[in-house]
Amino acid sequence: KIQDFLSQHLANTAWALAVRSFQHPPLIQAISSASLSNSNDLIAQELANTAWSFAKLLVCDEPLMAAIAAQAIKTIQDFTTQELSNTALAFATLDVTNVPLFQAIASEAMALIHNFTEQELANTAWSFARIELADVPLLESISREALRKMTEVSAQGLANLAWACAKLLWHDRPLMAALSAAAIRHSQE
C-alpha cells in the first residue's frame, strides 16, 4: 500500500514517474495524498524531488505545493544548491508564486552562491523571472557568480540568463556584455 511508503519512497516513486514522463493519474494522486499527510516529515531532498517531479509531470497539486513550500521554508538551511534551484524551478514551472518560499530560497541561495553550478545559477534566475520576482540582491549575486563562471555556461544557460535579465528589466551591463560575448563564442563552435 502506498500509505505504508516512507517519505523517501514516495519522493523516489514520483521522481521515477517524472524521469520516464509516465502519467498515471491514480498513482500520482496517491503519492500526492500520502506526501501531503507526511509533509512535515519530508527532508530537503524529498521536498525538492517531489516538487521537481510534479513540475516535470505538469501536475499542479496546489495543496501539496503549499505543504512543500511550508516545510521547505522551515528547513531551507538544509537545502543544497541543486535542491534550492530545482525547487524554484518546479514552482516557477507550475506558475505557483509562493513569495515567502522564493524569499527563503533567495536568502539561502545568496549564502551558498559560490557553490552554485552554472546551470543552477541560470535556472534560479529563470525561475525568479518566470514568476516576475525581481530580488535585486539575489540577481546581483547571480550576476557576480555567473561572470566568474561564464566560460562554463552552456548555450541554454546563456539563453536563460539573458531571458531573465530581459523579463525582469534587469540592466546589468557587465553581465549582458559577457553573455553576448559567450553567445558569440558558442555560435562559432
Side-chain angles (χ1 to χ4, degrees):
K1 288 183 174 179
I2 201 150
Q3 293 82 4
D4 297 334
F5 278 32
L6 298 175
S7 54
Q8 181 181 2
H9 301 147
L10 293 167
N12 289 352
T13 304
W15 180 86
L17 291 173
V19 167
R20 301 301 304 156
S21 298
F22 184 71
Q23 291 285 348
H24 191 282
L27 180 55
I28 293 167
Q29 182 55 49
I31 291 169
S32 174
S33 295
S35 296
L36 192 55
S37 67
N38 295 331
S39 63
N40 289 333
D41 299 327
L42 297 175
I43 62 171
Q45 183 181 20
E46 295 158 359
L47 293 163
N49 286 355
T50 302
W52 178 87
S53 299
F54 275 70
K56 178 96 166 77
L57 293 167
L58 298 175
V59 174
C60 186
D61 184 315
E62 291 182 18
L64 177 62
M65 298 307 285
I68 288 172
Q71 183 65 6
I73 291 167
K74 290 183 212 170
T75 61
I76 202 74
Q77 71 283 349
D78 298 332
F79 278 58
T80 65
T81 57
Q82 182 180 11
E83 292 159 355
L84 291 168
S85 177
N86 285 354
T87 301
L89 186 66
F91 276 75
T93 298
L94 293 173
D95 290 321
V96 177
T97 304
N98 185 303
V99 174
L101 172 63
F102 276 87
Q103 289 170 334
I105 289 170
S107 178
E108 192 63 20
M110 286 187 295
L112 301 173
I113 202 73
H114 296 301
N115 298 327
F116 272 65
T117 66
E118 59 82 16
Q119 182 178 355
E120 293 162 354
L121 292 168
N123 287 351
T124 302
W126 180 90
S127 299
F128 276 74
R130 172 77 188 250
I131 66 159
E132 299 181 4
L133 182 60
D135 186 297
V136 174
L138 174 63
L139 296 174
E140 289 172 347
S141 294
I142 288 172
S143 176
R144 282 191 302 274
E145 195 60 22
L147 285 169
R148 272 187 359 90
K149 295 178 177 173
M150 193 55 65
T151 58
E152 303 167 29
V153 179
S154 68
Q156 182 66 54
L158 294 172
N160 285 352
L161 285 167
W163 183 84
C165 290
K167 179 77 172 169
L168 294 173
L169 304 175
W170 175 36
H171 303 289
D172 184 311
R173 288 186 187 273
L175 179 61
M176 291 309 294
L179 288 170
S180 297
I184 290 169
R185 278 193 309 276
H186 275 282
S187 71
Q188 296 171 345
E189 292 177 353

